[in-house]
Amino acid sequence: MRQEIAITVDTVILKDLLSSARILLIKRKNEPFKNSWALPGGFLEETENLKEGAKRELLEETGLEVEVLNQLKTYGDLNRDPRGRTISIAFIGKLNKEVKIKAGDDAKEADWFSLDELPELAFDHSKIIEDAKKYLQDYNL
């Protein structure tokens, strides 16, 4: 029997990299992990490419448009999502200016957090953020 596999996209959006780096998180409105903080993201639609999906989810959940997103890594641990087998492609982007964010779609809240003081996160998003920190160091961003 063939198992259905879902594909999601997540975005790591950072700002203030030269001072106290901050990351954009959303509070989930729905299960699983209802009321938990997470990276903006969601299910990829059949008619969009990966980066388009990441930009769409970011816009829907935070009202934020980011021009440049780089693919960070793919995450596919078997138990990363309690709903079933889900593979996520994470993207990373940065902002160099102040922007207004507004929670929307399935995000209850959206806010900036210090990279050094993160709340408990849904799914494997703490792992994604650790990989993003390593990416920043490796590429001197």
Side-chain angles (χ1 to χ4, degrees), residues 10-17 21-26 38-41 54-55 57-59 61-70 72 90-97 99 101 111-115 118 128-129 132 136:
D10 292 307
T11 54
V12 177
I13 304 298
L14 302 160
K15 72 173 187 170
D16 302 331
L17 295 180
R22 302 186 66 71
I23 186 168
L24 180 61
L25 298 176
I26 59 109
L39 294 167
K55 287 182 175 186
E57 283 289 341
L58 181 63
L59 180 62
E61 292 186 345
T62 68
L64 185 62
E65 290 185 69
V66 174
E67 278 303 309
V68 179
L69 286 178
N70 295 311
L72 175 64
F91 288 85
I92 188 169
K94 62 182 181 172
L95 296 174
N96 297 316
K97 61 182 181 197
V99 293
I101 55 171
D111 207 352
W112 295 99
F113 288 82
S114 167
L115 263 180
L118 295 174
I128 295 172
I129 292 170
L136 291 172

Side-chain angles (χ1 to χ4, degrees), residues 30-90:
N30 305 310
E31 294 293 350
F33 301 105
K34 182 177 181 177
N35 294 320
S36 293
W37 290 97
L39 294 167
F43 292 100
L44 188 68
E45 294 181 0
E46 286 185 37
T47 58
E48 62 191 356
N49 70 38
L50 298 173
K51 195 176 287 189
E52 286 171 352
K55 287 182 175 186
R56 175 188 52 76
E57 283 289 341
L58 181 63
L59 180 62
E60 287 176 0
E61 292 186 345
T62 68
L64 185 62
E65 290 185 69
V66 174
E67 278 303 309
V68 179
L69 286 178
N70 295 311
Q71 191 169 328
L72 175 64
K73 197 171 172 183
T74 302
Y75 298 85
D77 287 349
L78 293 175
N79 298 313
R80 66 177 304 275
D81 188 326
R83 296 170 289 193
R85 181 66 202 250
T86 305
I87 296 171
S88 186
I89 297 87

